[in-house]
Amino acid sequence: MSMSDTDFSFYKKFLHEQSGLSLRKEKIYLLESRLTPLAKKHEYETLAAMTSYLISSRDKALTAEIVDAMTTNETLFFRDDRPFKYFKETLVPEIAQTLGDKKSLRIWSAASSTGQEAYSIIMSLLDCLPAPDSWKIDLLGTDISD
């Protein structure tokens, strides 16, 4: 199944509105490879047929499936070393110094999938915070995918 320019434009706008995902034209292959199995699952002959249905119905269940299909559902402890290195070596020491005796942190870990990212943040904090037991830390991990 191939995707027309019109369908690509629809999904580009649709996905941005529904999830904040931003797609460039060179990512049309990604849309095709991730949405074709979804179209087949719902017994649409073409991606265009699924698009037409979605435009006319704004089916919430199908919308959720499309967003889920387009998100990267990869989760690992300490995924992407550079941000964690920066977090431990630069950001946390600066925050600790700025907060002084306050010793209270609230952190939101977006794109936490099944939670390894949030646990990685906590482990990093325990490694680099001065007297970590004296800190009040609230951590919220969320993900757009169910």
Side-chain angles (χ1 to χ4, degrees):
M1 291 184 186
S2 63
M3 182 173 288
S4 69
D5 288 343
T6 303
D7 288 350
F8 174 78
S9 294
F10 168 78
Y11 285 108
K12 179 180 177 173
K13 182 179 178 194
F14 176 78
L15 286 164
H16 190 267
E17 289 171 354
Q18 297 298 318
S19 66
L21 290 173
S22 181
L23 294 173
R24 295 183 311 272
K25 184 70 173 177
E26 57 268 15
K27 296 291 184 175
I28 198 166
Y29 76 92
L30 188 62
L31 275 167
E32 290 174 343
S33 67
R34 293 188 179 182
L35 296 186
T36 297
L38 194 55
K40 288 180 181 178
K41 172 186 166 188
H42 288 278
E43 300 181 352
Y44 293 105
E45 293 286 325
T46 63
L47 284 172
M50 184 171 78
T51 306
S52 295
Y53 169 74
L54 190 61
I55 290 169
S56 66
S57 72
R58 290 297 182 159
D59 183 318
K60 290 182 182 188
L62 182 57
T63 295
E65 286 185 77
I66 289 169
V67 169
D68 193 55
M70 292 307 300
T71 57
T72 301
N73 298 312
E74 177 182 63
T75 188
L76 298 166
F77 287 102
F78 302 99
R79 188 176 112 197
D80 301 328
D81 183 52
R82 284 181 39 199
F84 282 100
K85 183 177 180 182
Y86 176 80
F87 183 72
K88 288 173 71 171
E89 294 176 2
T90 305
L91 190 59
V92 172
E94 287 177 9
I95 290 170
Q97 183 177 19
T98 301
L99 291 175
D101 291 336
K102 187 175 178 193
K103 295 187 177 185
S104 179
L105 289 174
R106 293 180 72 199
I107 300 170
W108 175 27
S109 176
S112 284
S113 194
T114 58
Q116 284 89 332
E117 294 78 9
Y119 281 107
S120 297
I121 290 170
I122 289 293
M123 288 186 274
S124 295
L125 286 170
L126 292 174
D127 282 347
C128 67
L129 268 179
D133 290 345
S134 65
W135 286 77
K136 179 183 184 301
I137 301 169
D138 293 316
L139 177 63
L140 173 66
T142 62
D143 198 276
I144 194 168
S145 175
D146 288 340

